[in-house]
Amino acid sequence: MQPATSATTKKILSVHDFVPTPEQFHTFKENVFTKIDRGMDYLIFVQFLVGLCIAFYTQTWYTAVGMGVINLAIYCTFRFLFTGLSSFRYLTSTLVTLFVVQYLFQLEGLLIVQRLFAIILTVLLFYQNWRILAPSFLVSAVYMLLSLYAVSFPDASFKHYFADISDYDATRIISYLIFHLLQFVLCVIIAVQLERRFTSGIRNMIYINEQLNLEANIKLANEIAEGNFEGNYEHKGNDYMGETLLSMRENLKNYREQENRNYWINEGIAQISQVLMQYNDMEVLAEQTLLHVIKYVKASQGLLFLIKHEDKNQQSFLVLTACYAYENQDEKGKPKEIGNDLVGEVVLRKKTIHLKEIPENYTQISSGLGAAKANEVVLVPLKVQEEVIGVMEVSTFAKFRSRQIEFLEKIGERIATSLLSVQANQRNNDLLKESQLLTEQMQQQEEFLRKNMAELQSTQQAISEANNKLNSLLFNVPGMIFTQRKHEGVWSINFVSAGAKNLIGYEPQEITSGKVHFSDLIHPEDLQTSYQESDKIVADALANKTVYEIRYRIVDAKKTIKWVWEKGNGLYDDKGQLIGLQGFVTDITEQIEASKQVQEQLEEMQAQEDVIRSTMQEVDAIRKKMEDKNTELQNTLKAIDQVLVILELSPDRKVQYVNHKFTEISQYTIDEVLGKDLNFYAVEEDKPMIDKLWQELLKGQPAVREVRRLRKDGKLFWMQAYYIPTIDAQGNLVKITSMSIDITEQKNKEEEVSNLLKELGSRIS
């Protein structure tokens, strides 16, 4: 930015104070006169051809060839020997006039041809120099004096060259001479004025080239537009525009470098994130992650340490979990205390260490050809919310760039989160190994019960009993039966049995109406760990059209944490497409805490499962009724969307959603509105009122206001707005929904009534 500052602070010389050097002035002037000289070349040649044409009709070949060739030869000689000299242009002025004299001799002094003298003077004005007009005037004046002599003295020997004007008297010839003199004086005045303007124009052009350096600056601007920031630039002393362009080029170059830096970092994070999602084993994940990080930053060696805790004495120690190009492979997996070495320093300080001077006894990078000391080492803490779970050490023979270090610090957080998640999953798997035996026994019993289902369905009496059992089960089963329906890609619960009250503490209607979302009841820790694995199990079962079983924790209405067991399967249409889900959720808290009681309850649940399956058709009927109700609700919402103007605002007043009724009334498109502040279309006088209203809404208080707004075309309209804050389970403000009705017509009528009342009052008074 410094060049731009210096360029703007310098004083630019005024054009009136600018004085070009004689060399600059002469060069620029000669460039213009050279083009005029080229035009004179064509004029001389044409005049020679015209003389030959006249000779063809008048048979004056001696005059045409004699004078024409002599004039042409003299011109060509001086043209090649004295190009660019003032004397050459004086000669040109003389020769073009002599060609006119030649025509007069060929045409015996035809008076109308003498007008060519005036045309020649006018053509010579292109040189913008009155001195160049003088030779032409002198030649024409000499010819007129000769014609005056020939008229005055009839015995003159050359009188036959003026035969056409022999009848004219001397007075007429003198009048022509005086008229030609006046014309010469007029051309001299014009030439003087043109010369002054030409001189001023040359000075301005030299000033522009000197001060603005146009050609070089245009080239530099084109290079900047094409993205070339490394081209050479010929800088001049007073080139202030060039300095500004150079400053702009430097700023654009820095911006591109920063953009490339961010792209490189984000691309690396995306690649490593893909690796982090592929593995569930701690050691394999650590090895593959370290390998990809080393390759991406083009490092030479890498070590990955994880912190492990000993449950007995709560002591923490470091374990080398993964390494690359490390000579002491036997240290892998061995614990070591968090001491005063660099790795321990990173754990304690929770900050990155960048070593540029490596001690002689430091770890060496090994390969098949030998081992060598690294040039630089970077140690990055792997931390999640200021909790360090490990350290990644990366070494290189070259030097680390700043973007590589920034990338290592950012990816360290991603690696820490993934490792912590895998570590938690493995811990949960160890805790659930004891229940695997029970699961196997349950599966065997399930198979046995499935074989007996044919016998149960053989008689109508068994079906009736099963229906009775289902009715009893729906109210007495120690759990919750549910069905879900998928509509336009959205899942919603459309049936919940009465057991939901005992299981989660909420009425079934609160779940099916959407007032309480079942996903909000899942324990927050399970949402980040085991429930993600459960989602994968359910997805695989639905894809394979099999039964799924999952365990997780919930928090009921009384804030009691419970372990639940869920089992279910998908519902499919005739084409095999997934349209719904049905299952059973029950409390297994006591089973988890006491394995003996778990076994008994699981056997009882399996016995009840067959009864549940035999009555799923009735559940499907209930589900269809719920779908019809859902359709009615959707139609109601569409009707509301056609009447109400709906906006969703973030806590920082940014527009997150608008419906089509808003675009219809305000004339703004959805893309023009999203992300803008609430005040973008407010009347200026109403903005303090809106700020005050927003402070009330941030406290979670709903409000109703009549507000004025401006359409896109600037016209005013009125809205009656209902502002409804949305609070999450933790009491935090999530969003604010505004539902408004257009009351512009009502307000206009009120204003008309008010005006009429005022007018009536003024008349009465």
Side-chain angles (χ1 to χ4, degrees):
M1 299 298 293
Q2 185 60 29
T5 303
S6 60
T8 55
T9 55
K10 289 184 177 180
K11 181 180 180 182
I12 299 179
L13 190 64
S14 172
V15 65
H16 301 291
D17 300 330
F18 177 74
V19 179
T21 62
E23 292 79 8
Q24 291 176 323
F25 188 85
H26 177 74
T27 301
F28 201 94
K29 186 176 181 181
E30 284 303 316
N31 290 335
V32 178
F33 283 175
T34 299
K35 297 178 181 179
I36 300 175
D37 292 341
R38 194 175 298 113
M40 289 300 174
D41 294 341
Y42 294 110
L43 178 61
I44 291 290
F45 184 72
V46 170
Q47 284 183 311
F48 176 73
L49 294 178
V50 170
L52 295 179
C53 293
I54 295 174
F56 179 78
Y57 289 103
T58 61
Q59 297 300 314
T60 53
W61 292 102
Y62 290 109
T63 304
V65 174
M67 290 187 67
V69 170
I70 292 173
N71 290 341
L72 188 61
I74 293 173
Y75 180 81
C76 292
T77 301
F78 276 80
R79 183 73 171 90
F80 290 104
L81 296 179
F82 304 102
T83 300
L85 298 179
S86 299
S87 57
F88 167 71
R89 297 187 178 103
Y90 294 142
L91 176 65
T92 301
S93 174
T94 303
L95 292 178
V96 295
T97 310
L98 285 176
F99 270 110
V100 177
V101 174
Q102 173 189 323
Y103 302 157
L104 290 169
F105 285 162
Q106 290 180 265
L107 297 173
E108 298 179 349
L110 185 63
L111 192 62
I112 193 173
V113 179
Q114 293 186 20
R115 296 180 181 179
L116 291 176
F117 289 134
I119 295 175
I120 293 300
L121 286 176
T122 304
V123 171
L124 292 175
L125 284 175
F126 279 109
Y127 282 109
Q128 305 177 55
N129 187 347
W130 69 271
R131 300 172 188 83
I132 295 178
L133 302 177
S136 175
F137 172 74
L138 292 176
V139 171
S140 59
V142 169
Y143 174 81
M144 290 183 179
L145 290 175
L146 288 175
S147 62
L148 178 63
Y149 181 80
V151 171
S152 302
F153 299 96
D155 297 333
S157 59
F158 51 84
K159 184 177 180 180
H160 62 279
Y161 288 110
F162 303 94
D164 192 67
I165 60 173
S166 59
D167 297 335
Y168 293 173
D169 55 4
T171 304
R172 190 169 184 179
I173 299 300
I174 292 173
S175 65
Y176 274 107
L177 179 61
I178 294 173
F179 176 78
H180 189 55
L181 176 62
L182 293 175
Q183 189 176 23
F184 170 70
V185 173
L186 178 62
C187 288
V188 168
I189 295 173
I190 294 174
V192 170
Q193 295 296 325
L194 290 176
E195 185 177 14
R196 290 178 180 175
R197 294 184 180 181
F198 182 58
T199 302
S200 176
I202 291 176
R203 183 182 65 180
N204 294 339
M205 293 300 296
I206 295 174
Y207 171 80
I208 292 174
N209 289 334
E210 181 71 18
Q211 298 293 315
L212 302 181
N213 196 14
L214 284 179
E215 183 176 355
N217 288 336
I218 291 174
K219 180 180 178 182
L220 176 60
N222 290 333
E223 289 179 351
I224 294 174
E226 294 172 358
N228 180 15
F229 303 129
E230 303 296 338
N232 295 326
Y233 176 72
E234 183 180 353
H235 185 268
K236 293 185 178 181
N238 296 324
D239 187 5
Y240 307 118
M241 180 180 289
E243 293 180 1
T244 303
L245 288 174
L246 287 174
S247 175
M248 182 180 70
R249 184 178 73 173
E250 186 65 24
N251 292 337
L252 290 174
K253 179 181 178 182
N254 294 335
Y255 174 77
R256 173 172 289 185
E257 290 177 354
Q258 183 63 34
E259 187 177 24
N260 293 336
R261 173 194 183 102
N262 294 337
Y263 176 80
W264 184 85
I265 292 175
N266 293 333
E267 179 68 19
I269 292 175
Q271 292 182 15
I272 303 303
S273 297
Q274 291 292 329
V275 176
L276 294 174
M277 292 187 294
Q278 294 177 2
Y279 303 99
N280 294 323
D281 184 81
M282 176 68 73
E283 294 185 0
V284 176
L285 177 62
E287 289 283 355
Q288 291 298 322
T289 302
L290 180 63
L291 175 62
H292 282 79
V293 170
I294 293 298
K295 288 183 178 180
Y296 193 76
V297 299
K298 298 180 180 180
S300 305
Q301 185 187 70
L303 304 175
L304 197 150
F305 298 90
L306 292 181
I307 297 177
K308 294 193 176 181
H309 306 280
E310 191 173 305
D311 296 335
K312 295 180 179 180
N313 51 15
Q314 299 296 322
Q315 183 179 1
S316 301
F317 51 87
L318 287 168
V319 175
L320 178 60
T321 307
C323 59
Y324 177 85
Y326 185 52
E327 57 184 353
N328 298 326
Q329 292 285 336
D330 54 346
E331 295 183 5
K332 186 177 178 181
K334 294 182 179 180
K336 70 172 185 176
E337 296 183 358
I338 302 177
N340 296 325
D341 57 355
L342 290 176
V343 179
E345 186 70 16
V346 172
V347 174
L348 297 176
R349 292 175 55 187
K350 302 180 181 180
K351 292 183 179 180
T352 301
I353 294 180
H354 181 196
L355 289 180
K356 296 183 179 180
E357 296 181 0
I358 310 302
E360 293 294 334
N361 59 348
Y362 202 79
T363 302
Q364 293 187 335
I365 302 173
S366 62
S367 67
L369 300 177
K373 186 180 70 171
N375 187 46
E376 289 189 5
V377 178
V378 173
L379 295 96
V380 179
L382 306 179
K383 58 183 179 179
V384 179
Q385 296 180 351
E386 297 303 321
E387 179 185 356
V388 179
I389 69 165
V391 176
M392 181 169 58
E393 179 179 339
V394 182
S395 307
T396 181
F397 288 125
K399 291 185 177 180
F400 283 110
R401 300 171 64 180
S402 59
R403 71 174 188 178
Q404 292 173 315
I405 298 176
E406 182 180 352
F407 166 73
L408 291 173
E409 291 177 341
K410 288 185 176 181
I411 199 61
E413 298 179 1
R414 300 288 184 93
I415 295 174
T417 302
S418 297
L419 292 175
L420 194 61
S421 177
V422 172
Q423 191 178 49
N425 288 338
Q426 289 183 350
R427 188 179 305 142
N428 291 334
N429 291 334
D430 293 338
L431 294 175
L432 293 174
K433 283 182 180 180
E434 297 178 359
S435 64
Q436 290 180 352
L437 180 60
L438 297 176
T439 303
E440 294 176 359
Q441 294 176 355
M442 289 167 54
Q443 292 175 348
Q444 293 175 359
Q445 294 172 358
E446 180 183 357
E447 184 65 25
F448 175 78
L449 293 173
R450 285 179 180 175
K451 292 179 180 179
N452 294 332
M453 184 178 291
E455 299 177 1
L456 294 174
Q457 293 178 347
S458 62
T459 62
Q460 184 66 31
Q461 183 179 0
I463 296 175
S464 177
E465 292 176 358
N467 290 333
N468 293 332
K469 289 182 180 180
L470 175 62
N471 293 330
S472 176
L473 179 63
L474 290 175
F475 292 94
N476 300 313
V477 68
M480 177 183 74
I481 301 172
F482 70 95
T483 60
Q484 285 183 280
R485 190 71 174 177
K486 183 179 182 182
H487 180 68
E488 296 182 355
V490 179
W491 287 91
S492 60
I493 298 177
N494 54 10
F495 173 76
V496 177
S497 67
K501 180 64 177 178
N502 294 329
L503 180 65
I504 60 177
Y506 295 99
E507 295 294 338
Q509 293 79 4
E510 294 180 290
I511 302 296
T512 56
S513 64
K515 182 178 180 181
V516 176
H517 295 280
F518 189 81
S519 58
D520 295 337
L521 305 179
I522 299 172
H523 197 282
E525 294 180 0
D526 289 355
L527 281 175
Q528 299 178 358
T529 56
S530 62
Y531 198 76
Q532 296 179 358
E533 185 68 18
S534 299
D535 281 344
K536 183 178 180 182
I537 294 173
V538 174
D540 293 341
L542 295 178
N544 299 325
K545 298 183 179 180
T546 59
V547 177
Y548 69 88
E549 295 180 20
I550 56 175
R551 289 185 177 89
Y552 51 90
R553 289 177 294 175
I554 63 171
V555 181
D556 64 10
K558 297 180 180 180
K559 305 303 180 181
T560 302
I561 300 175
K562 295 181 179 180
W563 277 94
V564 295
W565 174 77
E566 178 181 337
K567 185 172 184 177
N569 61 279
L571 300 175
Y572 307 88
D573 59 14
D574 296 336
K575 298 180 180 180
Q577 298 294 326
L578 180 67
I579 60 172
L581 184 69
Q582 63 184 9
F584 173 73
V585 181
T586 187
D587 186 358
I588 60 170
T589 304
E590 295 181 0
Q591 291 89 324
I592 294 296
E593 296 174 351
S595 60
K596 293 182 180 181
Q597 296 179 2
V598 170
Q599 180 63 34
E600 296 176 357
Q601 293 178 357
L602 289 178
E603 291 176 354
E604 182 181 355
M605 285 190 294
Q606 289 299 327
Q608 296 170 349
E609 180 185 358
D610 293 331
V611 180
I612 296 171
R613 288 179 177 275
S614 64
T615 58
M616 280 303 175
Q617 292 181 351
E618 295 184 7
V619 175
D620 290 338
I622 296 174
R623 183 181 66 251
K624 291 181 180 179
K625 292 181 180 179
M626 295 302 296
E627 289 177 355
D628 295 338
K629 292 182 179 179
N630 185 44
T631 302
E632 294 177 1
L633 178 60
Q634 292 297 327
N635 294 333
T636 303
L637 292 176
K638 289 181 180 178
I640 291 174
D641 188 65
Q642 295 176 357
V643 175
L644 296 181
V645 175
I646 301 176
L647 292 87
E648 289 187 0
L649 307 167
S650 62
D652 57 353
R653 302 205 317 192
K654 301 297 183 182
V655 179
Q656 295 180 326
Y657 165 81
V658 296
N659 65 346
H660 291 286
K661 187 65 177 178
F662 175 86
T663 61
E664 176 186 339
I665 294 178
S666 67
Q667 299 179 354
Y668 287 97
T669 64
I670 294 177
D671 293 335
E672 291 175 335
V673 174
L674 293 182
K676 288 193 175 182
D677 188 83
L678 176 61
N679 279 341
F680 82 97
Y681 71 128
V683 179
E684 189 66 29
E685 294 82 357
D686 294 348
K687 289 183 178 180
M689 181 272 290
I690 296 176
D691 294 338
K692 183 178 180 181
L693 168 64
W694 193 258
Q695 296 302 320
E696 297 178 2
L697 295 174
L698 290 178
K699 297 177 182 178
Q701 301 176 0
V704 181
R705 295 289 190 278
E706 290 184 356
V707 294
R708 295 184 296 174
R709 294 289 186 264
L710 294 175
R711 289 190 176 91
K712 187 176 180 179
D713 58 4
K715 293 183 178 180
L716 186 70
F717 66 99
W718 282 85
M719 303 291 293
Q720 183 171 2
Y722 298 83
Y723 296 94
I724 305 172
T726 301
I727 310 298
D728 61 12
Q730 288 74 31
N732 298 321
L733 180 64
V734 177
K735 64 180 179 180
I736 295 176
T737 303
S738 170
M739 293 185 289
S740 308
I741 301 174
D742 187 0
I743 58 172
T744 305
E745 184 176 355
Q746 175 184 344
K747 283 294 183 179
N748 292 337
K749 291 181 178 179
E750 291 179 359
E751 185 177 359
E752 291 177 2
V753 172
S754 177
N755 293 335
L756 290 174
L757 292 175
K758 289 181 180 179
E759 183 178 356
L760 180 61
S762 61
R763 290 180 178 179
I764 294 174
S765 61

